[in-house]
Amino acid sequence: EVQLVEAGGDLVQPGGSLRLSCAASGFTFSAYWMHWVRQAPGKGLVWVSRINNGGDTTAYADFVKGRFTISRDNAKNTLYLQMNSLRAEDTAVYYCARGSGSYGDCWGQGALVTVSS
Amino acid sequence: QSALTQPASVSGSPGQSITISCTGTSSDVGSYNLVSWYQQHPGKAPKLVIFEVSHRPSGVSNRFSGSKSGNTASLTISGLQAEDEADYYCSSYAGGVVFGGGTKLTVL
């Protein structure tokens, strides 16, 4: 069974840092592109970042460029999102998703990140 | 990267068909056949129902279909069922990925 399990969500103060992880199982992790997508409470889906299967090509939404870093460890079947300089508006459920460069065909259950003092 | 435009809500009766539009620009929807659609029930993760404009993932009902004309993509759900009531989001490749604002489907 294909499974994606996010972890690392927490309450963090503005300006702080947090690292999310997404553990993959049930498929060949190294064969797939991966995405991070977020959803603020009561709001819509917003794409955050993408990484290719080899980990050498990444892309980011403009509002996280320079603050967030996506990475992956194919040996550990794990995707990461390092989030620095967090702002209140970064408060959201963060989903990891498996897919191609343009879509996600399998999503995790999400990790809640709350940025507040 | 401006969000794609979707109607805030649509509704239909069981058995009917509905169509949700997704309007972008010549830089996203109009340039690539890389439009996807997702279904999201309250409190749940999104589920892919259409990818690359009109392809259905394995296991998705053939009541779901997608199309595109110019800068506008569409999702059609035929034979509406109560379980189809959910939020629907379109997305398009645009260098990165851009989502629409979402459409709430109500089955009357």
Side-chain angles (χ1 to χ4, degrees):
Chain A
E1 178 193 4
V2 174
Q3 227 178 356
L4 296 169
V5 179
E6 298 94 338
D10 205 346
L11 170 64
V12 61
Q13 292 190 339
S17 297
L18 204 59
R19 189 177 82 157
L20 301 181
S21 63
C22 169
S25 60
F27 65 99
T28 304
F29 180 68
S30 60
Y32 288 85
W33 292 57
M34 297 294 295
H35 299 261
W36 287 101
V37 176
R38 74 185 189 186
Q39 187 170 35
K43 303 296 185 182
L45 301 174
V46 177
W47 179 79
V48 173
S49 184
R50 174 192 69 215
I51 188 167
N52 72 334
N53 57 315
D56 57 348
T57 299
T58 59
Y60 298 91
D62 288 344
F63 56 83
V64 302
K65 279 182 183 175
R67 299 191 300 128
F68 291 11
T69 303
I70 190 172
S71 63
R72 65 192 296 162
D73 186 335
N74 285 343
K76 295 183 177 179
N77 292 339
T78 303
L79 174 74
Y80 302 100
L81 185 68
Q82 177 67 44
M83 302 184 292
N84 299 328
S85 303
L86 283 162
R87 308 164 179 166
E89 54 265 36
D90 294 320
T91 293
V93 173
Y94 284 74
Y95 295 100
C96 65
R98 178 194 85 165
S100 73
S102 64
Y103 65 84
D105 66 351
C106 178
W107 295 57
Q109 86 289 349
L112 177 61
V113 173
T114 303
V115 184
S116 175
S117 54
Chain B
Q1 294 169 340
S2 299
L4 307 177
T5 300
Q6 299 181 232
S9 63
V10 298
S11 63
S13 299
Q16 288 186 331
S17 295
I18 63 95
T19 297
I20 301 172
S21 62
C22 170
T23 301
T25 69
S26 58
S27 297
D28 39 59
V29 174
S31 284
Y32 310 98
N33 288 325
L34 296 174
V35 175
S36 304
W37 290 91
Y38 301 88
Q39 175 192 65
Q40 187 180 35
H41 288 108
K44 300 295 186 181
K47 172 188 175 183
L48 181 71
V49 294
I50 293 289
F51 66 97
E52 294 174 0
V53 176
S54 60
H55 294 85
R56 274 190 312 277
S58 174
V60 172
S61 170
N62 60 7
R63 298 185 298 105
F64 291 82
S65 62
S67 62
K68 191 188 86 166
S69 177
N71 296 337
T72 299
S74 299
L75 173 71
T76 297
I77 308 174
S78 60
L80 268 181
Q81 299 179 0
E83 67 207 49
D84 299 330
E85 185 162 295
D87 293 326
Y88 291 83
Y89 296 89
C90 64
S91 76
S92 175
Y93 179 81
V97 174
V98 60
F99 279 94
T103 298
K104 181 175 181 59
L105 169 61
T106 300
V107 180
L108 303 171

Short mmCIF file of all heavy atoms in Angstrom, two decimals, chain A residues 35 37 39 43-47 50 59-63 65 95 100-110, chain B residues 1 34 36 38 40 43-48 50-52 57 89 91-93 95-102:
data_model
loop_
_atom_site.label_atom_id
_atom_site.label_comp_id
_atom_site.label_asym_id
_atom_site.label_seq_id
_atom_site.Cartn_x
_atom_site.Cartn_y
_atom_site.Cartn_z
N HIS A 35 6.11 16.74 -4.05
CA HIS A 35 5.65 18.12 -3.85
C HIS A 35 5.32 18.36 -2.39
O HIS A 35 4.95 17.43 -1.66
CB HIS A 35 4.38 18.38 -4.66
CG HIS A 35 4.50 18.23 -6.13
ND1 HIS A 35 4.66 19.31 -6.98
CD2 HIS A 35 4.46 17.13 -6.92
CE1 HIS A 35 4.71 18.88 -8.23
NE2 HIS A 35 4.59 17.56 -8.23
N VAL A 37 2.50 20.91 -0.60
CA VAL A 37 1.34 21.77 -0.83
C VAL A 37 0.77 22.14 0.54
O VAL A 37 0.72 21.29 1.42
CB VAL A 37 0.27 21.05 -1.68
CG1 VAL A 37 -0.98 21.92 -1.83
CG2 VAL A 37 0.83 20.67 -3.04
N GLN A 39 -2.30 24.28 3.03
CA GLN A 39 -3.69 24.72 3.09
C GLN A 39 -3.91 25.43 4.41
O GLN A 39 -3.92 24.79 5.47
CB GLN A 39 -4.65 23.53 2.93
CG GLN A 39 -6.09 23.92 2.81
CD GLN A 39 -6.96 22.74 2.40
OE1 GLN A 39 -6.72 21.60 2.78
NE2 GLN A 39 -7.99 23.00 1.60
N LYS A 43 -9.06 27.64 4.00
CA LYS A 43 -8.68 28.19 2.71
C LYS A 43 -8.37 27.09 1.69
O LYS A 43 -8.51 25.90 1.98
CB LYS A 43 -7.44 29.11 2.87
CG LYS A 43 -7.66 30.25 3.84
CD LYS A 43 -8.73 31.21 3.37
CE LYS A 43 -8.85 32.41 4.30
NZ LYS A 43 -9.93 33.35 3.87
N GLY A 44 -7.94 27.48 0.51
CA GLY A 44 -7.67 26.54 -0.56
C GLY A 44 -6.25 26.00 -0.57
O GLY A 44 -5.42 26.35 0.27
N LEU A 45 -6.01 25.12 -1.52
CA LEU A 45 -4.69 24.51 -1.67
C LEU A 45 -3.73 25.50 -2.33
O LEU A 45 -4.11 26.22 -3.26
CB LEU A 45 -4.78 23.25 -2.54
CG LEU A 45 -5.70 22.15 -2.04
CD1 LEU A 45 -5.78 21.04 -3.09
CD2 LEU A 45 -5.21 21.60 -0.72
N VAL A 46 -2.50 25.50 -1.85
CA VAL A 46 -1.47 26.36 -2.41
C VAL A 46 -0.19 25.54 -2.57
O VAL A 46 0.29 24.95 -1.60
CB VAL A 46 -1.19 27.59 -1.52
CG1 VAL A 46 -0.06 28.43 -2.11
CG2 VAL A 46 -2.45 28.43 -1.36
N TRP A 47 0.32 25.49 -3.77
CA TRP A 47 1.57 24.77 -4.02
C TRP A 47 2.75 25.50 -3.39
O TRP A 47 2.84 26.73 -3.47
CB TRP A 47 1.77 24.63 -5.53
CG TRP A 47 3.02 23.94 -5.92
CD1 TRP A 47 3.26 22.59 -5.93
CD2 TRP A 47 4.22 24.56 -6.39
NE1 TRP A 47 4.54 22.34 -6.37
CE2 TRP A 47 5.15 23.54 -6.66
CE3 TRP A 47 4.61 25.87 -6.61
CZ2 TRP A 47 6.44 23.79 -7.14
CZ3 TRP A 47 5.88 26.14 -7.08
CH2 TRP A 47 6.79 25.10 -7.34
N ARG A 50 8.60 21.74 -5.15
CA ARG A 50 8.66 20.48 -5.88
C ARG A 50 10.13 20.07 -6.02
O ARG A 50 11.01 20.93 -6.14
CB ARG A 50 8.05 20.70 -7.27
CG ARG A 50 8.15 19.53 -8.22
CD ARG A 50 7.78 19.95 -9.64
NE ARG A 50 8.75 20.83 -10.24
CZ ARG A 50 8.44 21.83 -11.06
NH1 ARG A 50 7.18 22.10 -11.34
NH2 ARG A 50 9.39 22.58 -11.59
N ALA A 59 11.92 23.53 -7.36
CA ALA A 59 11.19 24.74 -7.70
C ALA A 59 10.39 25.17 -6.49
O ALA A 59 9.97 24.33 -5.67
CB ALA A 59 10.27 24.51 -8.89
N TYR A 60 10.16 26.49 -6.36
CA TYR A 60 9.47 27.04 -5.20
C TYR A 60 8.47 28.09 -5.63
O TYR A 60 8.65 28.80 -6.62
CB TYR A 60 10.48 27.71 -4.26
CG TYR A 60 11.53 26.79 -3.70
CD1 TYR A 60 12.74 26.59 -4.35
CD2 TYR A 60 11.30 26.11 -2.51
CE1 TYR A 60 13.70 25.74 -3.82
CE2 TYR A 60 12.25 25.25 -1.97
CZ TYR A 60 13.45 25.07 -2.65
OH TYR A 60 14.40 24.22 -2.13
N ALA A 61 7.40 28.20 -4.84
CA ALA A 61 6.49 29.33 -4.99
C ALA A 61 7.24 30.59 -4.57
O ALA A 61 8.10 30.56 -3.69
CB ALA A 61 5.26 29.13 -4.12
N ASP A 62 6.89 31.70 -5.19
CA ASP A 62 7.60 32.96 -4.92
C ASP A 62 7.59 33.33 -3.45
O ASP A 62 8.57 33.86 -2.92
CB ASP A 62 6.98 34.09 -5.74
CG ASP A 62 7.30 33.98 -7.23
OD1 ASP A 62 8.22 33.22 -7.58
OD2 ASP A 62 6.61 34.65 -8.03
N PHE A 63 6.49 33.04 -2.75
CA PHE A 63 6.35 33.50 -1.37
C PHE A 63 7.21 32.71 -0.38
O PHE A 63 7.28 33.07 0.79
CB PHE A 63 4.88 33.48 -0.93
CG PHE A 63 4.21 32.15 -1.07
CD1 PHE A 63 4.33 31.19 -0.09
CD2 PHE A 63 3.45 31.86 -2.19
CE1 PHE A 63 3.72 29.96 -0.21
CE2 PHE A 63 2.83 30.64 -2.33
CZ PHE A 63 2.96 29.67 -1.34
N LYS A 65 10.46 31.45 -1.54
CA LYS A 65 11.83 31.46 -2.05
C LYS A 65 12.77 32.16 -1.08
O LYS A 65 12.48 33.24 -0.57
CB LYS A 65 11.88 32.17 -3.41
CG LYS A 65 11.46 31.30 -4.58
CD LYS A 65 11.57 32.05 -5.90
CE LYS A 65 11.08 31.18 -7.06
NZ LYS A 65 11.07 31.93 -8.34
N TYR A 95 0.94 19.35 3.23
CA TYR A 95 0.82 18.02 2.65
C TYR A 95 2.03 17.71 1.78
O TYR A 95 2.47 18.58 1.01
CB TYR A 95 -0.42 17.91 1.77
CG TYR A 95 -1.75 18.04 2.44
CD1 TYR A 95 -2.46 19.24 2.40
CD2 TYR A 95 -2.34 16.96 3.07
CE1 TYR A 95 -3.71 19.36 2.98
CE2 TYR A 95 -3.60 17.06 3.66
CZ TYR A 95 -4.27 18.26 3.61
OH TYR A 95 -5.51 18.37 4.19
N SER A 100 4.22 13.59 -10.55
CA SER A 100 5.08 14.00 -11.65
C SER A 100 5.50 15.43 -11.37
O SER A 100 5.32 15.93 -10.26
CB SER A 100 4.32 13.92 -12.97
OG SER A 100 3.39 14.99 -13.02
N GLY A 101 5.97 16.09 -12.41
CA GLY A 101 6.34 17.48 -12.21
C GLY A 101 5.15 18.41 -12.07
O GLY A 101 5.29 19.54 -11.61
N SER A 102 3.96 17.94 -12.45
CA SER A 102 2.82 18.84 -12.47
C SER A 102 1.66 18.42 -11.59
O SER A 102 0.73 19.20 -11.42
CB SER A 102 2.30 19.00 -13.90
OG SER A 102 1.81 17.75 -14.39
N TYR A 103 1.67 17.21 -11.03
CA TYR A 103 0.54 16.80 -10.20
C TYR A 103 0.97 15.81 -9.14
O TYR A 103 2.05 15.24 -9.20
CB TYR A 103 -0.58 16.19 -11.05
CG TYR A 103 -0.19 14.90 -11.74
CD1 TYR A 103 -0.28 13.67 -11.08
CD2 TYR A 103 0.25 14.91 -13.06
CE1 TYR A 103 0.08 12.50 -11.72
CE2 TYR A 103 0.62 13.73 -13.69
CZ TYR A 103 0.53 12.54 -13.01
OH TYR A 103 0.89 11.37 -13.65
N GLY A 104 0.08 15.64 -8.14
CA GLY A 104 0.34 14.66 -7.10
C GLY A 104 -0.74 13.60 -7.11
O GLY A 104 -1.91 13.92 -6.98
N ASP A 105 -0.34 12.34 -7.23
CA ASP A 105 -1.34 11.27 -7.33
C ASP A 105 -1.55 10.53 -6.02
O ASP A 105 -2.41 9.66 -5.95
CB ASP A 105 -0.98 10.29 -8.46
CG ASP A 105 0.30 9.52 -8.18
OD1 ASP A 105 1.01 9.86 -7.21
OD2 ASP A 105 0.60 8.59 -8.96
N CYS A 106 -0.77 10.87 -5.02
CA CYS A 106 -0.95 10.26 -3.71
C CYS A 106 -0.50 11.27 -2.67
O CYS A 106 0.60 11.84 -2.81
CB CYS A 106 -0.14 8.97 -3.59
SG CYS A 106 -0.28 8.19 -1.98
N TRP A 107 -1.34 11.52 -1.67
CA TRP A 107 -1.07 12.57 -0.70
C TRP A 107 -1.02 11.99 0.71
O TRP A 107 -1.70 11.02 1.04
CB TRP A 107 -2.19 13.61 -0.75
CG TRP A 107 -2.28 14.36 -2.04
CD1 TRP A 107 -2.43 13.85 -3.30
CD2 TRP A 107 -2.22 15.78 -2.20
NE1 TRP A 107 -2.47 14.86 -4.23
CE2 TRP A 107 -2.35 16.05 -3.59
CE3 TRP A 107 -2.09 16.86 -1.31
CZ2 TRP A 107 -2.34 17.35 -4.10
CZ3 TRP A 107 -2.10 18.15 -1.82
CH2 TRP A 107 -2.21 18.38 -3.20
N GLY A 108 -0.21 12.62 1.55
CA GLY A 108 -0.20 12.28 2.96
C GLY A 108 -1.38 12.90 3.68
O GLY A 108 -2.20 13.59 3.07
N GLN A 109 -1.46 12.67 4.98
CA GLN A 109 -2.58 13.18 5.77
C GLN A 109 -2.38 14.61 6.23
O GLN A 109 -3.32 15.25 6.71
CB GLN A 109 -2.82 12.26 6.99
CG GLN A 109 -1.98 12.58 8.22
CD GLN A 109 -0.50 12.22 8.06
OE1 GLN A 109 -0.11 11.54 7.11
NE2 GLN A 109 0.31 12.67 9.01
N GLY A 110 -1.17 15.12 6.09
CA GLY A 110 -0.88 16.51 6.42
C GLY A 110 -0.28 16.70 7.79
O GLY A 110 -0.49 15.89 8.71
N GLN B 1 2.77 34.16 -10.07
CA GLN B 1 1.95 32.95 -10.13
C GLN B 1 0.58 33.24 -9.54
O GLN B 1 0.33 32.98 -8.36
CB GLN B 1 2.63 31.83 -9.36
CG GLN B 1 3.94 31.37 -9.98
CD GLN B 1 4.72 30.45 -9.05
OE1 GLN B 1 4.50 30.42 -7.84
NE2 GLN B 1 5.65 29.71 -9.61
N LEU B 34 -1.29 20.17 -18.95
CA LEU B 34 -0.89 19.67 -17.63
C LEU B 34 -1.82 20.23 -16.57
O LEU B 34 -1.38 20.71 -15.53
CB LEU B 34 0.58 20.06 -17.36
CG LEU B 34 1.60 19.43 -18.29
CD1 LEU B 34 2.99 20.01 -18.03
CD2 LEU B 34 1.64 17.91 -18.14
N SER B 36 -4.68 19.46 -13.80
CA SER B 36 -5.13 18.38 -12.92
C SER B 36 -6.32 18.87 -12.10
O SER B 36 -6.51 20.07 -11.91
CB SER B 36 -4.01 17.94 -11.97
OG SER B 36 -2.85 17.58 -12.68
N TYR B 38 -8.52 17.91 -8.37
CA TYR B 38 -8.50 17.21 -7.10
C TYR B 38 -9.85 17.35 -6.40
O TYR B 38 -10.49 18.41 -6.47
CB TYR B 38 -7.41 17.76 -6.18
CG TYR B 38 -6.02 17.67 -6.77
CD1 TYR B 38 -5.53 18.69 -7.58
CD2 TYR B 38 -5.22 16.57 -6.52
CE1 TYR B 38 -4.26 18.60 -8.13
CE2 TYR B 38 -3.95 16.48 -7.07
CZ TYR B 38 -3.48 17.49 -7.88
OH TYR B 38 -2.22 17.40 -8.42
N GLN B 40 -11.59 17.08 -2.60
CA GLN B 40 -11.24 17.10 -1.18
C GLN B 40 -12.49 17.12 -0.32
O GLN B 40 -13.26 18.09 -0.36
CB GLN B 40 -10.35 18.29 -0.83
CG GLN B 40 -9.82 18.23 0.61
CD GLN B 40 -8.93 19.41 0.97
OE1 GLN B 40 -9.15 20.52 0.51
NE2 GLN B 40 -7.92 19.15 1.80
N GLY B 43 -11.83 17.76 6.05
CA GLY B 43 -10.90 17.11 6.97
C GLY B 43 -10.04 16.02 6.36
O GLY B 43 -9.29 15.35 7.09
N LYS B 44 -10.13 15.87 5.05
CA LYS B 44 -9.37 14.81 4.38
C LYS B 44 -8.33 15.40 3.45
O LYS B 44 -8.38 16.58 3.08
CB LYS B 44 -10.31 13.92 3.57
CG LYS B 44 -11.38 13.23 4.39
CD LYS B 44 -10.79 12.25 5.38
CE LYS B 44 -11.87 11.45 6.09
NZ LYS B 44 -11.31 10.51 7.09
N ALA B 45 -7.36 14.55 3.06
CA ALA B 45 -6.37 14.97 2.08
C ALA B 45 -6.99 15.02 0.69
O ALA B 45 -7.97 14.30 0.42
CB ALA B 45 -5.19 13.99 2.08
N PRO B 46 -6.47 15.85 -0.19
CA PRO B 46 -6.96 15.87 -1.56
C PRO B 46 -6.74 14.53 -2.26
O PRO B 46 -5.83 13.78 -1.92
CB PRO B 46 -6.12 16.97 -2.21
CG PRO B 46 -5.66 17.82 -1.09
CD PRO B 46 -5.44 16.87 0.05
N LYS B 47 -7.60 14.29 -3.26
CA LYS B 47 -7.50 13.06 -4.06
C LYS B 47 -7.48 13.47 -5.53
O LYS B 47 -8.34 14.24 -5.97
CB LYS B 47 -8.70 12.15 -3.80
CG LYS B 47 -8.79 10.93 -4.72
CD LYS B 47 -10.10 10.20 -4.52
CE LYS B 47 -10.26 9.06 -5.52
NZ LYS B 47 -11.57 8.38 -5.37
N LEU B 48 -6.52 12.97 -6.27
CA LEU B 48 -6.42 13.27 -7.70
C LEU B 48 -7.54 12.56 -8.45
O LEU B 48 -7.70 11.34 -8.32
CB LEU B 48 -5.06 12.81 -8.22
CG LEU B 48 -4.76 13.05 -9.70
CD1 LEU B 48 -4.55 14.54 -9.98
CD2 LEU B 48 -3.52 12.25 -10.12
N ILE B 50 -8.36 13.81 -11.97
CA ILE B 50 -8.01 13.99 -13.38
C ILE B 50 -6.58 14.54 -13.44
O ILE B 50 -6.23 15.44 -12.67
CB ILE B 50 -8.95 14.99 -14.09
CG1 ILE B 50 -10.36 14.44 -14.20
CG2 ILE B 50 -8.40 15.36 -15.49
CD1 ILE B 50 -10.54 13.29 -15.19
N PHE B 51 -5.77 14.02 -14.36
CA PHE B 51 -4.45 14.58 -14.59
C PHE B 51 -4.23 14.76 -16.09
O PHE B 51 -4.89 14.11 -16.90
CB PHE B 51 -3.35 13.72 -13.96
CG PHE B 51 -3.17 12.36 -14.57
CD1 PHE B 51 -2.20 12.13 -15.52
CD2 PHE B 51 -3.98 11.29 -14.17
CE1 PHE B 51 -2.03 10.87 -16.09
CE2 PHE B 51 -3.82 10.03 -14.72
CZ PHE B 51 -2.86 9.82 -15.68
N GLU B 52 -3.34 15.67 -16.43
CA GLU B 52 -3.01 15.96 -17.83
C GLU B 52 -4.28 16.16 -18.65
O GLU B 52 -4.49 15.53 -19.70
CB GLU B 52 -2.10 14.87 -18.39
CG GLU B 52 -0.74 14.88 -17.70
CD GLU B 52 0.18 13.75 -18.10
OE1 GLU B 52 -0.21 12.90 -18.94
OE2 GLU B 52 1.30 13.71 -17.59
N PRO B 57 -6.94 8.71 -13.09
CA PRO B 57 -6.11 7.72 -12.40
C PRO B 57 -6.90 6.42 -12.22
O PRO B 57 -8.14 6.43 -12.21
CB PRO B 57 -5.82 8.37 -11.04
CG PRO B 57 -6.10 9.82 -11.24
CD PRO B 57 -7.17 9.90 -12.27
N TYR B 89 -10.54 21.28 -6.73
CA TYR B 89 -9.49 22.22 -7.08
C TYR B 89 -8.86 21.83 -8.41
O TYR B 89 -8.57 20.65 -8.64
CB TYR B 89 -8.38 22.22 -6.02
CG TYR B 89 -8.82 22.71 -4.66
CD1 TYR B 89 -9.33 21.83 -3.72
CD2 TYR B 89 -8.70 24.06 -4.33
CE1 TYR B 89 -9.72 22.28 -2.47
CE2 TYR B 89 -9.09 24.51 -3.07
CZ TYR B 89 -9.60 23.61 -2.15
OH TYR B 89 -10.00 24.06 -0.92
N SER B 91 -5.52 22.55 -10.99
CA SER B 91 -4.14 23.04 -10.93
C SER B 91 -3.54 22.94 -12.31
O SER B 91 -4.01 22.18 -13.17
CB SER B 91 -3.30 22.26 -9.92
OG SER B 91 -2.95 20.99 -10.44
N SER B 92 -2.51 23.72 -12.54
CA SER B 92 -1.81 23.70 -13.82
C SER B 92 -0.33 23.86 -13.61
O SER B 92 0.12 24.54 -12.68
CB SER B 92 -2.32 24.82 -14.73
OG SER B 92 -1.57 24.87 -15.94
N TYR B 93 0.43 23.22 -14.48
CA TYR B 93 1.86 23.47 -14.53
C TYR B 93 2.05 24.90 -15.04
O TYR B 93 1.33 25.36 -15.93
CB TYR B 93 2.55 22.49 -15.46
CG TYR B 93 4.03 22.70 -15.59
CD1 TYR B 93 4.89 22.21 -14.62
CD2 TYR B 93 4.57 23.38 -16.67
CE1 TYR B 93 6.26 22.41 -14.72
CE2 TYR B 93 5.93 23.58 -16.79
CZ TYR B 93 6.77 23.08 -15.81
OH TYR B 93 8.11 23.28 -15.92
N GLY B 95 5.63 26.37 -14.80
CA GLY B 95 6.98 26.47 -14.28
C GLY B 95 6.98 25.75 -12.95
O GLY B 95 7.57 24.69 -12.78
N GLY B 96 6.27 26.34 -12.01
CA GLY B 96 5.94 25.60 -10.78
C GLY B 96 4.56 25.01 -11.00
O GLY B 96 4.24 24.52 -12.09
N VAL B 97 3.74 25.06 -9.98
CA VAL B 97 2.35 24.59 -10.08
C VAL B 97 1.46 25.67 -9.48
O VAL B 97 1.80 26.28 -8.46
CB VAL B 97 2.15 23.27 -9.32
CG1 VAL B 97 0.69 22.86 -9.31
CG2 VAL B 97 3.01 22.16 -9.93
N VAL B 98 0.34 25.93 -10.12
CA VAL B 98 -0.61 26.91 -9.58
C VAL B 98 -1.97 26.24 -9.43
O VAL B 98 -2.41 25.47 -10.30
CB VAL B 98 -0.69 28.16 -10.49
CG1 VAL B 98 -1.13 27.80 -11.90
CG2 VAL B 98 -1.56 29.22 -9.87
N PHE B 99 -2.62 26.50 -8.30
CA PHE B 99 -3.95 25.95 -8.02
C PHE B 99 -5.02 27.00 -8.25
O PHE B 99 -4.76 28.21 -8.20
CB PHE B 99 -4.05 25.50 -6.56
CG PHE B 99 -3.45 24.16 -6.29
CD1 PHE B 99 -2.13 24.05 -5.86
CD2 PHE B 99 -4.19 22.99 -6.45
CE1 PHE B 99 -1.57 22.81 -5.60
CE2 PHE B 99 -3.63 21.75 -6.18
CZ PHE B 99 -2.31 21.66 -5.76
N GLY B 100 -6.24 26.51 -8.47
CA GLY B 100 -7.39 27.38 -8.44
C GLY B 100 -7.85 27.58 -7.00
O GLY B 100 -7.37 26.91 -6.09
N GLY B 101 -8.79 28.49 -6.82
CA GLY B 101 -9.25 28.81 -5.49
C GLY B 101 -10.19 27.79 -4.87
O GLY B 101 -10.49 27.85 -3.68
N GLY B 102 -10.66 26.86 -5.69
CA GLY B 102 -11.53 25.81 -5.19
C GLY B 102 -13.00 26.09 -5.46
O GLY B 102 -13.44 27.24 -5.49
#
